[in-house]
């Protein structure tokens, strides 16, 4: 509308959208990493406190609940054979197996994120080329039809463009 070619306008919109999404993603990564490191340090401190104290005291709970949870913790530690010699080694083994499981979860999550970005890129690319080449593709397909079927094809083309536009809007909304 302002003298910019439609292809450049669409491309500019995509570049701005991808730049904003990339900026938000990369600005949040350090914050999330710091939060995860803080949670890991807090969990390590709590585990060390539980192994030395072997008592539980939760805020805003009656003392009876704390006593019952302490008894439950001691029973669990005893059943896991963490009390006595070799307990720390066994706890380390349990924690490393949990860390390996969480690492697999993180890789799965990263794969899902990469798949999301790839699908979003493909939808945007498809939408871009569909917007740019729609008229030429329609004329090319129309050449293969006999004269008597062209009015019917025109009606169907309008319906296809409408439905395809709805599908693309849905894909963009889901991405």
């Amino acid at each position: 509308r302002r003298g910019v070619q439609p292809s450049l306008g669409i491309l500019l919109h995509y570049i701005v959208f991808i730049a904003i999404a990339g900026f938000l993603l990369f600005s949040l990564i350090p914050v999330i990493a710091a939060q995860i490191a803080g949670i890991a340090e807090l969990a390590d401190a709590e585990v060390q406190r539980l192994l030395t104290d072997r008592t539980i005291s939760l805020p805003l709970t009656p003392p009876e609940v704390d006593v019952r949870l302490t008894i439950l913790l001691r029973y669990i530690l005893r059943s896991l054979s963490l009390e006595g010699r070799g307990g720390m080694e066994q706890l380390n083994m349990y924690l490393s197996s949990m860390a390996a499981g969480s690492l697999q979860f993180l890789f799965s999550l990263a794969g899902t994120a990469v798949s999301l970005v790839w699908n979003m890129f493909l939808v945007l690319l498809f939408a871009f080329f569909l917007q740019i080449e729609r008229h030429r593709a329609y004329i090319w397909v129309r050449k293969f039809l006999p004269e008597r079927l062209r009015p019917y094809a025109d009606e169907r083309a309008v319906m296809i463009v409408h439905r395809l536009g709805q599908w693309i809007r849905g894909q963009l909304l889901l991405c």
Side-chain angles (χ1 to χ4, degrees):
R1 295 179 187 178
R2 299 185 184 239
V4 177
Q5 291 182 353
S7 60
L8 291 177
I10 293 169
L11 189 61
L12 182 65
H13 277 90
Y14 287 157
I15 289 172
V16 168
F17 175 74
I18 290 171
I20 290 172
F23 173 74
L24 290 175
L25 179 69
F26 288 117
S27 66
L28 288 177
I29 287 175
V31 173
I32 292 171
Q35 291 291 324
I36 290 175
I39 290 171
E41 289 173 6
L42 180 65
D44 185 45
E46 285 297 313
V47 166
Q48 292 301 324
R49 188 191 65 77
L50 279 175
L51 288 176
T52 57
D53 255 357
R54 293 196 170 107
T55 59
I56 295 177
S57 61
L58 298 175
L60 304 173
T61 58
E64 301 87 33
V65 173
D66 292 340
V67 170
R68 288 182 182 174
L69 285 175
T70 302
I71 293 170
L72 178 65
L73 173 69
R74 288 182 181 163
Y75 175 75
I76 289 172
L77 290 175
R78 210 173 302 120
S79 68
L80 292 175
S81 303
L82 291 177
E83 292 187 20
R85 286 188 288 151
M88 290 304 288
E89 290 83 14
Q90 288 181 4
L91 180 62
N92 187 18
M93 184 178 69
Y94 289 130
L95 289 177
S96 22
S97 68
M98 283 177 45
S102 63
L103 190 61
Q104 287 176 341
F105 172 73
L106 286 177
F107 280 134
S108 170
L109 189 63
T112 303
V114 167
S115 172
L116 173 73
V117 169
W118 178 249
N119 287 337
M120 188 172 159
F121 172 75
L122 287 178
V123 167
L124 290 175
L125 185 71
F126 180 68
F128 174 75
F129 281 111
L130 183 65
Q131 186 67 25
I132 299 301
E133 300 292 331
R134 175 180 53 196
H135 187 67
R136 288 185 196 153
Y138 173 69
I139 291 172
W140 182 76
V141 169
R142 198 168 190 261
K143 287 179 186 178
F144 291 106
L145 298 174
E147 285 289 329
R148 64 182 173 80
L149 292 179
R150 286 184 185 173
Y152 176 76
D154 292 340
E155 292 173 12
R156 294 296 160 208
V158 169
M159 188 174 61
I160 288 171
V161 166
H162 178 69
R163 293 228 174 118
L164 197 55
Q166 289 177 336
W167 178 80
I168 290 172
R169 280 190 291 278
Q171 288 297 316
L172 289 173
L173 181 65
L174 291 176
C175 286

